[in-house]
Amino acid sequence: MESVKYHGVALGGKIYSLRMAKRMSQEQLAAVLSISPAAISKWERNLSKPSIEMLWTLADFFECSIDELVGRTLIQVDKVGTYDEKKLRLAVIGDDLLKCSEISRLEGLLAMESYVPELKSGSKFLAFAIPYIMNLFMKQAEMDVAFGFLENYVTTLPKEEQQEGKMVAAVLRKIFSGESPVILQELIASYIGIDYREKNGTMSEMLKYSRQEILNQYNDKKMYSDNTNLLEEFIHVGDFEIQSILRNMDNLTLTTALVGASGDVAKAFMANLSDRLLYLIHEDMKQWTGTEEEILTAQKKVLELGSFCLEYNKE
């Protein structure tokens, strides 16, 4: 029987990768799906394929789309360890708010409106909030009243945007009351998390580089030493398999492991990260200080997580 493939990637390999990433046996996955282990085995060996109903079930269980499962689209990883795309977006919005504060202190509150077209984050709510509050102040609304209205708008935002709205409303209120930049930074960090506390004020600077410009910086990267070559086989592993590894890895392990790897390995992993996560891991790698022993420990963890990829590629 001809192997079931999409864009050159066997569906069986994808199911195998996802199962192994969850540290599950064929028997355990079969029990979850209420089918026989033999069926799982046939899928993974490309001797048969799941029904469309079972593809939905597999996609739900592995928390991916059917397109991702069958390889029709490349879904870049937007979370590694404690870093994730939603929080990185808040960090960029935080940079915009700090810039608004700087402008208001130098040129007055009215000058903030001129910065709206230049917002780096693309936050629609921030772009709405600044002129909205200005307009209410022009109508001589009291601060508590104006921001009370703005906070009402926050409650109407989609659930996934409400944290952004709450942060924007709270920080703008402090800007209008003349709060110091130091306190604003602490307030922004409190909405994002401990791991982002030191990133405030830097995300916009990092975003001035394109994805390709960052990846190109690794073209000539050498291994840390001859001993830190444990990941070189991953050059031949596909994007889907690398994404399966990344979803189960913490950011410190990834950073430390890639510091010791060749440029080709670093690019293979980093090319599968979302834009903002790529910038953050890149920055962490630039600032990394450690030992060869730490690199080897991290690379061994990656090998453990990715052993299923290397095993499958040999089959």
Side-chain angles (χ1 to χ4, degrees), residues 272-289:
N272 281 287
L273 300 172
S274 65
D275 285 350
R276 292 189 178 98
L277 189 53
L278 169 64
Y279 303 135
L280 202 53
I281 295 297
H282 169 64
E283 191 69 15
D284 286 349
M285 288 177 67
K286 284 167 47 180
Q287 297 177 5
W288 184 87
T289 57

Side-chain angles (χ1 to χ4, degrees), residues 173-240:
R173 180 190 280 264
K174 292 296 184 184
I175 290 174
F176 275 79
S177 64
E179 192 61 80
S180 71
V182 174
I183 298 301
L184 294 178
Q185 286 182 337
E186 292 294 342
L187 178 57
I188 291 166
S190 72
Y191 278 92
I192 305 174
I194 295 172
D195 295 287
Y196 299 84
R197 188 172 181 274
E198 297 180 359
K199 303 297 181 184
N200 281 342
T202 65
M203 287 300 296
S204 291
E205 179 69 17
M206 291 158 63
L207 287 171
K208 71 182 182 181
Y209 298 105
S210 70
R211 284 184 66 84
Q212 198 55 52
E213 285 174 331
I214 290 179
L215 292 173
N216 286 345
Q217 293 182 40
Y218 293 87
N219 287 341
D220 301 317
K221 181 184 181 304
K222 306 298 182 185
M223 291 186 293
Y224 185 87
S225 74
D226 291 339
N227 295 324
T228 61
N229 65 345
L230 303 185
L231 305 184
E232 297 309 299
E233 288 187 54
F234 285 98
I235 294 172
H236 308 294
V237 169
D239 288 328
F240 183 88

Side-chain angles (χ1 to χ4, degrees), residues 152-164:
N152 287 342
Y153 278 108
V154 171
T155 65
T156 69
L157 292 172
K159 186 176 180 180
E160 63 273 14
E161 296 178 20
Q162 288 190 11
Q163 184 75 348
E164 170 188 332

Side-chain angles (χ1 to χ4, degrees), residues 101-120:
S101 170
E102 179 185 342
I103 291 171
S104 71
R105 294 171 73 84
L106 292 175
E107 304 176 42
L109 289 170
L110 290 175
M112 281 198 300
E113 239 182 310
S114 64
Y115 179 65
V116 170
E118 300 178 33
L119 293 173
K120 300 293 192 300

